[in-house]
Amino acid sequence: MSGTFQHDVLIVGGGGAGLRAAIAAAETNPDLDIAVVSKVYPMRSHTVSAEGGAAGVIKAGDTAEDHIRDTVFGSDWLADQDAVEVFVEEAPNELIQLEHWGCPWSRDPDGTVAVRPFGGMSIERTWFAADKTGFHMLHTLFQTSLKYASTKRYDEWFVTRLLVENGRCQGVAALELRTGQVCAILSKAVILCTGGYGRIFPFTTNAAISTGDGLGLAYRAGVPLKDLEFVQYHPTGLPGTGILITEAARSEGGILVNKNGDRYLRHYDLGQPLDVNDERHPVFRAMELGPRDRLSQAFIKEEEKGNVFDGPYGTYVHLDVRHIGEKKIDEKIPFVRELTKNYVGIDPVHEPIPVRPVVHYMMGGIDTTLEGASPLPGLYAAGECACVSINGANRLGSNSLPELLVFGARAGRNATLFAREHPELDTASLEKQAEDEQRRIANAFIKKLDGTERLATIRTELQRAAEAGCGIYRTDATLREAAHKVAELKERFTRTKLDDHSLSFNTELTAALELEFMIDVAEAVVQAALERKESRGSHQRIDFPERDDERFLKHSLAFRTTDVPRIEYRDVVITNWPPAVRVYGREH
């Protein structure tokens, strides 16, 4: 082992949630020694790819109650309503703070912040910076974080284990990619902000780094993973690449049509389009701006009817923005035009865009409180790797970016308080754990010469199993087959062999460590989906087509065992919005 480092607060992940947590910790106590560990440079974090916008109540006619209702309704009542209330209350201030730090929000002609409609939102409340919102938010957070001299960055370090002693998380073991050495990075509090786990699926908008590392770290340390069965498909991904065509394209007027030229969403209880000249605001424009789970399910129904196009990368429909006009496309969704030109070879000003549902976001994650605390003392989490839960069974578009800010800040502040109250560290025993991790990695991968399995083969088979078992529609049979396949792959992984046995920037080793986490997370996803015998939001069981509030108005909690994951349940927090029928239309 090459060394030991020590800090007061340690953040794992340099994306939106991680940087917001670092800033909040530094603001709470300027004397703190703070560290951010990231396997990529912060500006390469997946937050940078978010396009559409960030929801926050700012305009006249909108209220916090409206935003709460939309979020709870969209979640199919699986969101904890106390968490949603906190989120909605604090989101506007976070977005205003970003404005003060320099985020270039798009403006209306009168100079006020512009907002656009978004799927499942009954009122226009989504702030945006053209269609590169995440890019500008991450730039703003990164440059703001640089002014705090007390914050140290470990860029291109891969955390492989949480260091737990005396029932408390006291740091991490991290692989320095440049040297291949594992170091102990000790800390009085640790915050996981590592993003999602979309890469357990073959067709996803998620970056290659979204492999569920943070969830795997917490899971192996005994922390439960909550609501993993809820996997969000975005209805408009580019076939072949998985690149996202932002919901902003539909909020600006884009429509979905099948191979017959039919605007097919009108057949799926998603309301009727409103008159574009209707002066009443707020308005609820359903159909293309319905919730993502319903739109993705409608695509499958059209596929079953034979109403979709066939292409080299599977079936698809058309997203048509031609009627919007070149001027508005270049002003409001220029990145959409750039992406389709570069990756499909068409100009959306003149041709419709081929799209199909693509895995986009994970509602589940590490079980946390409103303060970002996990059940393991000293361990916090925020962002997509965490589940507080405001998203329940289906996240509304544009809620995830403010979630990074609100709960990143909360985790940063509360981890700071925990660090002040728990100053002692068990240095010797923690260093020994890190040494054990160095030996484990060396023996399992670097020194191992007799393996027979290939990483790429196992990864491909894992992704196919996840897609077949935990796609948009699921059955007992598909889930059991997926569970059997994941168990087989877990055993086969122990026989993997690397070709690269070097230490410096060994990307094959990194891929192996990521695949370990992916297998653990996939196993929990499949088991949670198998045991939830109902249909709710993004979890649609063909064999249990109805929502069952009596048995399953509960969060699932997956615990790691020596056998299959153990699934327990916890009641959803209901405050002012009792469960009702989830119907979309002009009013809801």
Side-chain angles (χ1 to χ4, degrees):
M1 192 177 72
S2 61
T4 299
F5 305 92
Q6 187 169 320
H7 304 277
D8 294 313
V9 174
L10 175 65
I11 297 139
V12 183
L19 293 175
R20 185 64 188 94
I23 294 167
E27 288 180 329
T28 301
N29 186 345
D31 297 326
L32 277 184
D33 184 348
I34 301 163
V36 178
V37 183
S38 177
K39 67 178 179 182
V40 297
Y41 282 97
M43 282 310 303
R44 292 186 61 211
S45 300
H46 190 49
T47 306
V48 80
S49 68
E51 299 170 37
V57 175
I58 190 69
K59 293 291 190 179
D62 196 6
T63 67
E65 183 172 343
D66 290 325
H67 192 182
I68 294 167
R69 184 194 65 241
D70 289 345
T71 300
V72 170
F73 194 87
S75 78
D76 219 346
W77 277 272
L78 201 74
D80 284 331
Q81 295 176 17
D82 56 345
V84 176
E85 290 166 4
V86 165
F87 162 69
V88 167
E89 184 67 29
E90 296 183 9
N93 290 335
E94 286 290 335
L95 298 177
I96 292 169
Q97 179 64 74
L98 272 190
E99 160 88 356
H100 294 170
W101 285 336
C103 186
W105 298 117
S106 294
R107 319 298 271 199
D108 283 333
D110 64 0
T112 58
V113 170
V115 294
R116 59 173 37 136
F118 238 66
M121 298 287 188
S122 63
I123 292 171
E124 297 182 5
R125 66 167 64 92
T126 297
W127 305 39
F128 59 98
D131 57 353
K132 289 188 176 181
T133 308
F135 174 88
H136 290 298
M137 282 180 57
L138 194 61
H139 266 277
T140 300
L141 290 166
F142 181 61
Q143 67 191 20
T144 301
S145 73
L146 296 177
K147 72 180 183 180
Y148 297 101
S150 60
T151 301
K152 174 181 174 57
R153 295 209 325 270
Y154 294 82
D155 294 334
E156 297 187 327
W157 288 62
F158 187 0
V159 174
T160 63
R161 177 176 173 178
L162 297 180
L163 303 181
V164 180
E165 190 66 26
N166 296 324
R168 172 184 147 216
C169 185
Q170 299 186 36
V172 303
L175 178 73
E176 184 182 18
L177 300 183
R178 181 177 61 86
T179 64
Q181 298 299 310
V182 173
C183 298
I185 307 179
L186 310 186
S187 181
K188 299 159 190 174
V190 174
I191 309 173
L192 296 175
C193 301
T194 56
Y197 46 98
R199 280 287 157 179
I200 69 172
F201 288 85
F203 186 55
T204 176
T205 65
N206 284 198
I209 58 175
S210 299
T211 50
D213 309 342
L215 284 83
L217 290 167
Y219 191 46
R220 293 176 187 178
V223 176
L225 303 180
K226 185 162 65 181
D227 293 344
L228 291 198
E229 62 268 43
F230 298 105
V231 176
Q232 181 169 81
Y233 280 74
H234 194 291
T236 55
L238 289 179
T241 64
I243 290 171
L244 178 69
I245 298 301
T246 174
E247 199 159 306
R250 286 174 281 127
S251 74
E252 298 298 339
I255 60 172
L256 289 167
V257 295
N258 63 22
K259 74 175 186 180
N260 304 316
D262 180 21
R263 193 176 174 187
Y264 61 88
L265 292 175
R266 63 195 175 95
H267 305 302
Y268 293 97
D269 296 324
L270 287 165
Q272 297 297 320
L274 298 182
D275 181 351
V276 294
N277 297 313
D278 191 336
E279 296 179 353
R280 293 171 303 157
H281 289 281
V283 296
F284 182 72
R285 299 197 303 174
M287 292 179 67
E288 283 78 14
L289 289 180
R292 291 170 176 177
D293 57 339
R294 295 286 178 85
L295 266 63
S296 297
Q297 291 155 24
F299 173 89
I300 299 298
K301 297 297 185 184
E302 287 296 294
E303 186 178 52
E304 291 171 350
K305 295 174 185 176
N307 292 339
V308 295
F309 299 94
D310 287 311
Y313 302 106
T315 56
Y316 63 92
V317 292
H318 277 152
L319 172 61
D320 196 346
V321 298
R322 291 175 293 179
H323 55 283
I324 297 175
E326 185 171 13
K327 180 180 178 181
K328 189 172 182 181
I329 288 172
D330 286 343
E331 177 187 354
K332 294 294 184 69
I333 50 172
F335 196 43
V336 167
R337 191 177 189 187
E338 180 183 335
L339 288 171
T340 52
K341 280 184 172 182
N342 291 341
Y343 291 96
V344 191
I346 67 169
D347 186 341
V349 171
H350 305 295
E351 299 176 72
I353 306 167
V355 294
R356 62 169 291 115
V358 55
V359 168
H360 180 58
Y361 185 90
M362 305 300 175
M363 273 69 75
I366 300 163
D367 182 27
T368 66
T369 67
L370 294 177
E371 312 308 329
S374 81
L376 176 61
L379 181 66
Y380 295 76
E384 191 174 351
C385 77
C387 183
V388 63
S389 151
I390 69 162
N391 299 311
N394 175 66
R395 175 179 70 85
L396 293 190
S398 74
N399 267 354
S400 62
L401 290 178
E403 179 185 4
L404 300 178
L405 302 172
V406 169
F407 293 103
R410 282 181 154 250
R413 288 191 292 266
N414 286 286
T416 299
L417 298 176
F418 185 92
R420 185 176 63 190
E421 295 167 359
H422 300 80
E424 72 288 345
L425 292 170
D426 300 281
T427 305
S429 56
L430 297 170
E431 287 179 339
K432 184 180 183 304
Q433 289 183 40
E435 291 169 1
D436 290 342
E437 181 66 0
Q438 174 89 69
R439 281 191 293 273
R440 182 190 77 85
I441 292 172
N443 293 334
F445 303 109
I446 299 298
K447 296 179 181 180
K448 187 175 182 179
L449 303 175
D450 59 349
T452 56
E453 294 283 352
R454 312 301 297 180
L455 291 178
T457 301
I458 292 178
R459 182 171 57 242
T460 299
E461 291 186 27
L462 177 73
Q463 291 171 335
R464 287 174 178 168
E467 180 78 15
C470 295
I472 294 172
Y473 285 98
R474 303 151 181 198
T475 67
D476 183 82
T478 64
L479 287 164
R480 289 189 185 280
E481 185 175 345
H484 176 76
K485 185 64 176 180
V486 173
E488 173 200 313
L489 293 172
K490 190 173 185 178
E491 190 278 327
R492 285 169 54 190
F493 181 80
T494 63
R495 302 195 301 275
T496 52
K497 176 185 177 182
L498 304 191
D499 292 324
D500 187 352
H501 298 277
S502 65
L503 294 178
S504 182
F505 290 110
N506 186 336
T507 55
E508 191 180 21
L509 173 61
T510 304
L513 294 168
E514 289 173 331
L515 185 54
E516 269 193 310
F517 289 131
M518 290 166 65
I519 291 170
D520 274 356
V521 173
E523 184 179 44
V525 170
V526 172
Q527 193 65 30
L530 182 61
E531 296 196 22
R532 183 176 287 273
K533 295 177 172 60
E534 67 159 353
S535 289
R536 184 186 299 270
S538 62
H539 174 70
Q540 293 293 308
R541 290 284 297 264
I542 293 173
D543 45 353
F544 294 96
E546 301 300 322
R547 196 179 81 192
D548 185 350
D549 288 340
E550 183 176 343
R551 296 177 60 207
F552 290 106
L553 187 61
K554 298 175 184 296
H555 299 295
S556 66
L557 297 168
F559 292 83
R560 192 169 189 250
T561 73
T562 55
D563 192 13
V564 297
R566 183 179 81 257
I567 305 298
E568 297 181 3
Y569 292 95
R570 178 192 301 153
D571 289 342
V572 172
V573 176
I574 305 293
T575 57
N576 299 311
W577 290 268
V581 178
R582 186 174 172 231
V583 177
Y584 285 88
R586 183 180 291 269
E587 301 289 345
H588 72 256

